Amino acid sequence: MADKYAQLVNQGLGRNVAKKLGLPQPAVLRRYQPGEPLITGPILVQGSTAGADTLATQLLAWDLDVRRHPVPREKLGAIILVLDELERPEDLEEPVLVVGASLRDLARGGRVITVSRPASETDSPAAAAARQGLDGFLRSLAKELRAGATGNGVLLAEGVQIASPSALAAVRFFLSGRSAFVDGQFLKISSPSGELPRDPEKPLAGKAAVVTGAARGIGAHIARTLHRDGAAVVLVDLPVAGEHLAAVANEVKGTALQLDITRKDAGQRILEHAVQRHGRLDIVVHNAGITRDKLLANMDQSRWSAVIGINLAAQLRINEALLASEHFRGAPRIVSVASTSGIAGNRGQTNYAASKGGVMGMVRASAPLLAAVGGTINAVAPGFIETEMTERIPFALREIARRANSLQQGGRPADVAEAIAFLASDAAAGINGEVLRVCGQNMVGA
Ligand code: NAD
């Protein structure tokens, strides 16, 4: 699963040869390690609104080094562009040009983050043009950044201020190494609810979480990350994966539940296990998923129904059981694993893309149901992730898929896990019904 090419071009001779030949040079990404600073280097907060001042003050309260104006030739950890009062396309010009002039000072693994309002049908045409214009701007800028730097945006819905917990938490997530493989994405904050954690290193302290498909791959990493962040974890997988499941459960001091999630009573079994063994259930991560690729012309009923049954129908049924239970109350969280295939489509994956597109539809339509019980439901859509699933792709195709993103490399299971842990936290209470791509800004799809 190692990306040998990336290792080669990041060492002495290999680096020089790749440079001379103009070959892709994927950077070593800055990933989160407990105890490490949120970001190294000063943060330039660009923007002249009250929101920009508020954010700068908050960053100072987090002991970060903040600049309100560029200092010539000073290396920057991040640039945050606050444009929360955009009214006309002309409003973009001055701030984006200041950002442009500072880009050459952005450190390796640096961050550019925009904070703005989403364009909506109730905006004046000029305001909507400016707001949607920022969308295109950020996505293009992210493609221009190099050396593992990323560009992402926080969107504040009407009535949500930058000081609201989820907006600040989203800025923190994008600044940190937790978002290493999230690039060119926007995350909308739809409500001012939420609470920043007392201990930023243990945002899930006291929570009980369930992860399906946890015996290996991305699921095992989700379990490890939720445990690291303080949650007690129930690990669910098929009985045939029992040995691996037990090993990961031991590693994270969690409990194993051997269960086929397509069973009609799967939701009930999950609830019973979590409540009996951990006294509660706060977080459910729907990660279990399969591929059964075939061109549609050769598709048979068993391939179609297996993929829809495991990747989508099981989630719908389990969610119904969760929502009906008095044990899934307070601030419950559901996070589903979708895929960029469900957004962009993929040859040979009509069944898989239907299931993953379906997950995103389910998440959007379930958001009000979760909000009614004080909770949220969101999806994470991974792009190319280095796992046993993608190891099986033929070499040439794998190389193309792996490099076809702005970071020119595959993501790691831990990158998907970090996004899920963030969406599962209390601080993310204002994010509901969203799909966050973890794809290095994959060239395919939006
Ligand atoms: P994987 O095949 O390594 O792991 C999936 C796990 O789910 C396995 O342990 C399997 O036993 C379990 N599982 C399958 N059917 C089950 C069932 N009926 N009940 C309980 N458990 C079941 O896959 P992965 O690469 O780690 O992918 C995890 C998720 O991420 C999947 O939903 C996948 O579609 C999605 N995803 C992966 C990638 C990637 O690049 N690997 C990209 C996009 C999305």
Side-chain angles (χ1 to χ4, degrees):
M1 273 168 278
D3 183 350
K4 297 213 173 66
Y5 173 84
Q7 288 167 2
L8 188 72
V9 298
N10 274 296
Q11 290 162 4
L13 183 65
R15 182 188 297 144
N16 294 339
V17 171
K19 205 169 187 180
K20 281 217 173 86
L21 296 178
L23 296 173
Q25 285 190 283
V28 176
L29 301 184
R30 175 171 67 85
R31 289 190 165 90
Y32 173 72
Q33 292 292 336
E36 282 192 359
L38 186 65
I39 189 150
T40 45
I43 301 173
L44 172 65
V45 178
Q46 181 60 34
S48 54
T49 62
D53 293 338
T54 305
L55 182 61
T57 307
Q58 181 60 53
L59 297 174
L60 285 168
W62 288 339
D63 279 339
L64 297 169
D65 202 359
V66 178
R67 304 278 179 275
R68 293 296 272 118
H69 299 284
V71 176
R73 282 179 294 286
E74 180 183 50
K75 272 278 170 241
L76 292 168
I79 303 170
I80 306 184
L81 180 57
V82 183
L83 292 173
D84 54 342
E85 292 182 18
L86 277 180
E87 291 302 333
R88 302 167 306 140
E90 292 80 355
D91 297 345
L92 286 166
E93 185 174 299
E94 196 215 323
V96 305
L97 292 179
V98 173
V99 169
S102 300
L103 282 179
R104 61 180 63 87
D105 296 323
L106 193 63
R108 295 184 75 78
R111 299 285 189 262
V112 178
I113 301 169
T114 59
V115 179
S116 61
R117 304 261 172 210
S120 92
E121 285 158 20
T122 54
D123 291 337
S124 72
R131 292 168 186 192
Q132 194 70 43
L134 186 68
D135 184 289
F137 163 81
L138 192 266
R139 290 178 201 274
S140 299
L141 170 57
K143 292 187 175 180
E144 293 178 11
L145 296 174
R146 290 290 172 264
T150 61
N152 293 290
V154 178
L155 293 174
L156 308 172
E158 220 47 60
V160 177
Q161 302 306 322
I162 181 66
S164 73
S166 293
L168 295 177
V171 169
R172 266 191 93 96
F173 173 71
F174 285 141
L175 283 174
S176 87
R178 291 176 191 259
S179 64
F181 200 60
V182 181
D183 196 11
Q185 304 306 309
F186 284 88
L187 197 47
K188 188 168 136 198
I189 316 299
S190 47
S191 93
S193 51
E195 203 182 318
L196 289 172
R198 245 176 269 145
D199 178 357
E201 301 246 316
K202 295 278 175 216
L204 303 178
K207 305 280 182 189
V210 167
V211 182
T212 67
R216 64 177 212 184
I218 294 173
H221 278 269
I222 297 169
R224 290 185 187 110
T225 305
L226 299 185
H227 165 67
R228 180 203 67 195
D229 283 358
V233 187
V234 177
L235 298 93
V236 176
D237 212 301
L238 292 169
V240 290
E243 217 173 296
H244 282 123
L245 186 67
V248 186
N250 281 341
E251 189 192 324
V252 304
K253 300 180 181 64
T255 56
L257 172 60
Q258 293 186 10
L259 174 72
D260 182 337
I261 56 159
T262 61
R263 281 180 58 133
K264 296 270 179 291
D265 62 350
Q268 207 47 45
R269 294 270 308 273
I270 285 171
L271 274 158
E272 275 166 21
H273 179 103
V275 173
Q276 266 172 22
R277 304 293 291 274
H278 303 279
R280 56 193 293 146
L281 179 57
D282 306 284
I283 299 162
V284 172
V285 181
H286 291 300
N287 162 77
I290 59 164
T291 49
R292 294 287 182 270
D293 296 357
K294 271 280 171 214
L295 295 176
L296 185 61
N298 304 323
M299 183 69 67
D300 53 62
Q301 193 256 337
S302 74
R303 281 192 174 82
W304 181 270
S305 70
V307 169
I308 299 293
I310 293 169
N311 296 6
L312 182 57
Q315 295 195 18
L316 280 163
R317 207 174 308 115
I318 292 170
N319 289 355
E320 248 178 65
L322 294 174
L323 281 165
S325 166
E326 65 195 36
H327 293 295
F328 202 58
R329 294 286 183 272
R333 297 274 182 279
I334 299 175
V335 188
S336 284
V337 180
S339 165
T340 50
S341 290
I343 299 169
N346 206 9
R347 187 180 148 85
Q349 290 201 318
T350 50
N351 51 354
Y352 184 72
S355 74
K356 297 299 188 179
V359 162
M360 293 181 255
M362 172 194 81
V363 158
R364 286 191 194 103
S366 305
L369 306 179
L370 267 294
V373 292
T376 68
I377 178 168
N378 293 287
V380 161
F384 184 98
I385 306 296
E386 306 282 355
T387 60
E388 286 173 44
M389 201 189 233
T390 49
E391 181 81 343
R392 289 198 297 268
I393 302 173
F395 175 77
L397 205 57
R398 186 167 76 233
E399 227 4 61
I400 294 167
R402 174 189 262 162
R403 306 276 164 237
N405 62 64
S406 296
L407 298 170
Q408 301 177 319
Q409 59 192 290
R412 293 189 190 161
D415 298 328
V416 181
E418 295 287 7
I420 289 171
F422 166 61
L423 292 169
S425 68
D426 281 343
I431 303 167
N432 195 13
E434 296 297 307
V435 177
L436 178 62
R437 291 174 58 156
V438 182
C439 66
Q441 199 176 27
N442 210 328
M443 302 296 175
V444 290

